Amino acid sequence: MRAGRARPLRAADMKKDVRILLVGEPRVGKTSLIMSLVSEEFPEEVPPRAEEITIPADVTPERVPTHIVDYSEAEQSDEQLHQEISQANVICIVYAVNNKHSIDKVTSRWIPLINERTDKDSRLPLILVGNKSDLVEYSSMETILPIMNQYTEIETCVECSAKNLKNISELFYYAQKAVLHPTGPLYCPEEKEMKPACIKALTRIFKISDQDNDGTLNDAELNFFQRICFNTPLAPQALEDVKNVVRKHISDGVADSGLTLKGFLFLHTLFIQRGRHETTWTVLRRFGYDDDLDLTPEYLFPLLKIPPDCTTELNHHAYLFLQSTFDKHDLDRDCALSPDELKDLFKVFPYIPWGPDVNNTVCTNERGWITYQGFLSQWTLTTYLDVQRCLEYLGYLGYSILTEQESQASAITVTRDKKIDLQKKQTQRNVFRCNVIGMKNCGKSGVLQALLGRNLMRQKKIRDDHKSYYAINTVYVYGQEKYLLLHDISESEFLTEAEIICDVVCLVYDVSNPKSFEYCARIFKQHFMDSRIPCLIIAAKSDLHEVKQDYSISPADFCRKHKMPPPQAFTCNTADAPSKDIFVKLTTMAMYPHARLRCMCTCNRCTFCICQNFLNSDLLQSVKNKIFTAVLNRLRARVAEWGAMLLADDEGSITHQVHAVSSVEDSIFMASSHDPLFLEARHVTQADLKSSTFWLRASFGATVFAVLGFAMYKALLKQR
């Protein structure tokens, strides 16, 4: 499991520096230990107290600046001692191995004093230091071991000699290690097993690393885990050695040549028991944990700047990751997640993030299970409405680790300002928000559920406490897949600013309620009449008898007056899934808010609608103008050549042959029939125009096909 050099910890993963405080009875050698470390020789003269020593990061094993602070009872007051204790990261309690009184003071004075000044839940790590080992032939460990077993905050005990320089460097290394890789959060010495919080964290790490979700880490998964944690792969023989160690100690630690969760936890217990808990800490910090075994805010919520009027969407890499996550947990391969499969997916979360309303927000199958499309839609919704929550959820799933990205922020695309989209008359967005507005009981919920393909019969089965104010699904517009997000806005006299912000507005009224349309008209005039947000009026419950609305003008006349598309009849009381025509219309309006699409059937998919929109487009109008100008200039040149001949011809003869010009020429030049030159040109004789008309037609046809072909090529190229 641990081969080669461990991956260096990032600065964000550990403390910026380590502050070590040395305390103990007078004349046990505290100052001598510090001076021997610095000068690498025993001092002949020892001052009452050493000045604070700072060791640079580049000369310490853990690459962290270290401050060593001495305490002198003769020179410092109790208040100064208490202040030093509160500032320390680790405390070394020094005793003399040849002085039993100094050993007794460890438990009678120093440990109680330190614990009084620290919180019970965040005890300072302690190192017991037995100095002057050069003066005795025996060890003090038999006396110290019961003390270590009694106080769990004691990390280790080191016997050393300031005079012989024995274990001096090791002493301060263990002090550093106690701060950067504390044993306390990981292991319980009394029970001789890992603590529940550590087991929970390592279990999450195991489930994230088990990419095929078969309950074991195979060789490929173990190698990937080793590489992302320690920056070095494991050799095949090393992998076998790890498995053999596990097999030797527990029977179910290895299954089908893969490491099970029990085997994974056993290995880390073994590391800790052998004093190599820095290995476990390296893994924990790589997966985002802090010293309290909580996921850090820096890991869950990486910095992501979102300018005003911009939205957030998942990018292609995020959708690929979510697809693999779905496939990993869809064990029965039915393209839907059962409640048990969904529960298994959320085991890496500290809580269940989705409530029962999600099943009425996205697409589900006949059994009410979230489908693959619904799964992606819910993530799209979360990203759009609350991107910070999306980052948090991706962090729980281990996105940055499995994709080897810096953070979850790499999964998010921040769209450009909507004002730029309006100026350029095109958008790069894939998610469009539609606010659904109308009186209570006018049919808004039916519109939302119809987006998910549910008719009235299925909607009646939805419990009131499971209803959702959102619905999201994919809609195809001109062959492009887009997400349409519907938001049910509650009825109120005035809308808030947040309720106005959207890409398109859907105003819903009940055709069977005479007072329903008045609310839509009032809201439109208050908030949307002078805005650039496109609006569409829906005549809901169209299967019922339509009554006259109590308003000054009819809904159709209201739409004509305000240059809106006519009211769209809609009902969800159908045998099959309701029609999605209005959703295509809404998405199209959101994508092209500058365009005035006047489709008769509102589908935007049939040949008629596509041709109508194409003929009314700015692109075709520009092409037509250019062709007209080119042909008119050519005609004027011809008229100048034929001017003299036209003056000599008989008036009657010319009139007799006026209609020789083809219908194509008539349609092109009809708009300029008031131009004198054009009127003169129409009086050319058929004989004189015979050859010129042929070449004019040929030139015109070639120009039309060339310009149209090039324009369509450019348009398709831009879309790609």
Side-chain angles (χ1 to χ4, degrees):
M1 178 70 70
R2 185 180 184 276
R5 184 173 54 86
R7 167 187 171 274
L9 295 177
R10 296 173 297 179
D13 294 334
M14 54 187 176
K15 299 181 184 298
K16 293 182 179 179
D17 53 16
V18 174
R19 191 173 180 86
I20 303 172
L21 173 64
L22 274 68
V23 298
E25 294 300 297
R27 306 188 67 80
V28 293
K30 302 185 296 294
T31 307
S32 299
L33 288 171
I34 297 173
M35 298 186 70
S36 295
L37 174 71
V38 175
S39 62
E40 296 184 351
E41 61 180 6
F42 184 71
E44 295 295 334
E45 296 183 4
V46 180
R49 176 174 177 263
E51 295 294 327
E52 179 178 325
I53 303 297
T54 299
I55 303 176
D58 56 354
V59 298
T60 62
E62 297 290 345
R63 302 291 176 181
V64 178
T66 303
H67 309 276
I68 302 175
V69 181
D70 191 11
Y71 166 71
S72 172
E73 189 173 333
E75 293 194 356
Q76 291 178 284
S77 64
D78 289 345
E79 184 178 347
Q80 289 175 312
L81 172 61
H82 298 159
Q83 185 177 1
E84 289 292 355
I85 291 173
S86 64
Q87 294 176 347
N89 301 123
V90 58
I91 297 178
C92 296
I93 303 177
V94 184
Y95 64 91
V97 294
N98 63 341
N99 186 339
K100 188 176 184 303
H101 173 73
S102 68
I103 297 176
D104 294 339
K105 283 292 184 178
V106 170
T107 53
S108 63
R109 178 187 181 188
W110 292 108
I111 293 180
L113 175 65
I114 294 167
N115 287 343
E116 285 175 6
R117 301 295 164 182
T118 56
D119 295 332
K120 185 177 181 180
D121 295 331
S122 57
R123 297 289 197 200
L124 281 175
L126 304 178
I127 306 291
L128 299 186
V129 181
N131 193 21
K132 303 185 180 182
S133 63
D134 59 294
L135 299 179
V136 296
E137 298 293 333
Y138 57 87
S139 171
S140 63
M141 293 306 294
E142 290 186 5
T143 308
I144 295 300
L145 279 176
I147 300 175
M148 293 180 65
N149 293 330
Q150 182 180 356
Y151 296 95
T152 58
E153 55 266 37
I154 299 176
E155 290 286 325
T156 188
C157 176
V158 181
E159 289 190 345
C160 58
S161 170
K163 186 173 184 179
N164 294 343
L165 306 182
K166 176 186 174 183
N167 289 341
I168 302 297
S169 298
E170 287 78 1
L171 157 65
F172 292 103
Y173 167 71
Y174 284 124
Q176 269 191 339
K177 187 176 173 182
V179 177
L180 301 177
H181 312 299
T183 307
L186 306 181
Y187 189 74
C188 179
E190 293 88 352
E191 303 292 335
K192 295 184 178 180
E193 60 183 24
M194 287 190 294
K195 291 185 175 180
C198 182
I199 293 174
K200 183 179 178 181
L202 290 173
T203 301
R204 170 182 169 266
I205 292 171
F206 178 89
K207 290 191 69 65
I208 290 174
S209 303
D210 182 14
Q211 298 183 44
D212 56 9
N213 201 27
D214 64 349
T216 63
L217 298 183
N218 57 39
D219 289 358
E221 291 166 342
L222 281 171
N223 257 318
F224 179 80
F225 173 83
Q226 178 75 14
R227 182 168 56 81
I228 61 173
C229 290
F230 304 103
N231 272 349
T232 181
L234 279 173
Q237 185 57 48
L239 278 172
E240 282 304 313
D241 292 343
V242 168
K243 294 175 188 176
N244 289 333
V245 170
V246 176
R247 287 191 188 100
K248 183 178 178 181
H249 290 84
I250 53 175
S251 58
D252 52 354
V254 179
D256 299 326
S257 299
L259 192 66
T260 65
L261 175 61
K262 282 188 177 181
F264 185 76
L265 295 176
F266 166 77
L267 277 178
H268 284 281
T269 304
L270 198 62
F271 292 147
I272 297 168
Q273 290 175 343
R274 294 182 178 180
R276 304 308 301 260
H277 37 277
E278 68 271 16
T279 302
T280 301
W281 274 116
T282 300
V283 171
L284 290 167
R285 286 176 176 141
R286 179 67 181 91
F287 279 78
Y289 289 94
D290 61 13
D291 289 351
D292 298 320
L293 296 184
D294 295 322
L295 292 171
T296 65
E298 293 80 11
Y299 172 78
L300 290 178
F301 306 103
L303 181 64
L304 181 67
K305 294 182 179 179
I306 307 172
D309 294 325
C310 297
T311 60
T312 47
E313 299 176 1
L314 294 170
N315 58 32
H316 177 65
H317 299 291
Y319 281 118
L320 288 178
F321 172 77
L322 293 173
Q323 178 183 347
S324 65
T325 302
F326 183 92
D327 292 339
K328 172 180 175 179
H329 295 277
D330 183 20
L331 300 179
D332 53 8
R333 296 294 181 262
D334 62 348
C335 291
L337 293 179
S338 67
D340 289 339
E341 290 171 341
L342 203 60
K343 185 178 179 181
D344 183 57
L345 187 152
F346 290 139
K347 281 183 178 178
V348 296
F349 286 61
Y351 54 88
I352 301 297
W354 294 354
D357 59 316
V358 171
N359 294 58
N360 300 311
T361 305
V362 299
C363 292
T364 58
N365 63 11
E366 296 78 9
R367 305 176 71 177
W369 299 352
I370 296 176
T371 62
Y372 169 71
Q373 184 57 53
F375 182 76
L376 296 184
S377 296
Q378 178 62 24
W379 280 95
T380 303
L381 173 72
T382 305
T383 307
Y384 188 94
L385 296 179
D386 191 349
V387 68
Q388 291 299 317
R389 181 164 295 183
C390 176
L391 293 173
E392 178 188 359
Y393 292 173
L394 288 173
Y396 292 141
L397 290 174
Y399 174 85
S400 62
I401 296 158
L402 294 178
T403 60
E404 301 184 72
Q405 298 291 328
E406 185 65 26
S407 71
Q408 298 88 268
S410 62
I412 307 299
T413 295
V414 179
T415 64
R416 67 186 181 189
D417 194 323
K418 192 175 179 181
K419 298 185 185 70
I420 299 176
D421 286 348
L422 292 172
Q423 290 171 2
K424 293 182 176 291
K425 296 185 178 181
Q426 61 180 1
T427 182
Q428 298 173 339
R429 301 186 184 201
N430 294 307
V431 185
F432 299 94
R433 178 171 182 163
C434 172
N435 285 353
V436 183
I437 301 171
M439 290 181 64
K440 190 175 181 180
N441 298 323
C442 70
K444 293 181 293 180
S445 298
V447 173
L448 266 68
Q449 292 303 309
L451 177 64
L452 307 179
R454 297 169 184 168
N455 57 20
L456 187 61
M457 189 66 68
R458 289 188 64 184
Q459 294 177 28
K460 288 180 178 179
K461 299 178 182 178
I462 300 174
R463 291 170 47 178
D464 289 340
D465 56 337
H466 290 178
K467 286 185 177 179
S468 173
Y469 289 97
Y470 292 95
I472 184 171
N473 200 2
T474 53
V475 177
Y476 284 88
V477 178
Y478 303 136
Q480 300 179 60
E481 185 184 59
K482 303 294 181 181
Y483 281 94
L484 178 63
L485 165 60
L486 300 183
H487 181 201
D488 183 353
I489 304 296
S490 301
E491 180 184 356
S492 61
E493 288 299 317
F494 296 95
L495 302 182
T496 64
E497 185 176 352
E499 292 173 333
I500 297 173
I501 298 173
C502 59
D503 299 301
V504 62
V505 175
C506 179
L507 298 165
V508 182
Y509 76 95
D510 181 358
V511 298
S512 63
N513 182 356
K515 299 183 182 300
S516 184
F517 180 73
E518 186 274 335
Y519 178 79
C520 294
R522 176 158 48 87
I523 291 295
F524 176 80
K525 289 183 176 180
Q526 286 176 354
H527 301 287
F528 303 108
M529 188 167 65
D530 298 323
S531 75
R532 303 181 70 177
I533 301 175
C535 299
L536 185 67
I537 293 180
I538 303 297
K541 304 181 183 180
S542 61
D543 58 305
L544 302 179
H545 176 67
E546 185 174 0
V547 299
K548 187 178 183 299
Q549 295 293 318
D550 293 343
Y551 194 68
S552 57
I553 58 176
S554 67
D557 291 337
F558 182 87
C559 291
R560 278 192 293 269
K561 179 180 178 181
H562 295 284
K563 299 181 180 179
M564 297 167 60
Q568 308 295 306
F570 173 78
T571 180
C572 55
N573 189 11
T574 57
D576 299 321
S579 171
K580 291 194 175 183
D581 289 346
I582 64 166
F583 305 120
V584 176
K585 181 77 171 179
L586 287 167
T587 310
T588 306
M589 294 171 69
M591 290 175 64
Y592 307 106
H594 56 279
R596 297 279 184 182
L597 302 178
R598 304 286 184 171
C599 302
M600 298 297 291
C601 66
T602 75
C603 74
N604 278 335
R605 288 179 293 177
C606 65
T607 304
F608 177 80
C609 290
I610 294 174
C611 291
Q612 281 288 99
N613 294 333
F614 181 67
L615 290 173
N616 293 329
S617 67
D618 295 337
L619 172 64
L620 191 59
Q621 293 297 331
S622 174
V623 172
K624 285 165 63 178
N625 291 337
K626 290 180 179 179
I627 293 174
F628 177 79
T629 302
V631 174
L632 188 59
N633 290 338
R634 186 180 182 88
L635 186 58
R636 283 175 174 170
R638 289 293 185 185
V639 168
E641 295 176 7
W642 300 331
M645 185 169 49
L646 289 173
L647 293 175
D649 287 343
D650 178 57
E651 184 74 16
S653 174
I654 296 174
T655 305
H656 180 70
Q657 300 179 30
V658 161
H659 297 288
V661 181
S662 69
S663 58
V664 176
E665 295 166 327
D666 287 337
S667 63
I668 296 174
F669 305 131
M670 188 66 71
S672 298
S673 59
H674 300 292
D675 193 319
L677 292 173
F678 190 84
L679 291 172
E680 267 188 285
R682 289 175 62 99
H683 292 78
V684 180
T685 63
Q686 185 176 5
D688 294 328
L689 282 175
K690 186 174 182 181
S691 61
S692 61
T693 300
F694 170 79
W695 290 110
L696 181 62
R697 286 176 178 174
S699 301
F700 170 70
T703 305
V704 168
F705 281 109
V707 174
L708 283 179
F710 181 76
M712 293 179 70
Y713 167 75
K714 291 289 287 184
L716 290 172
L717 192 63
K718 180 175 285 187
Q719 287 180 4
R720 290 182 181 179

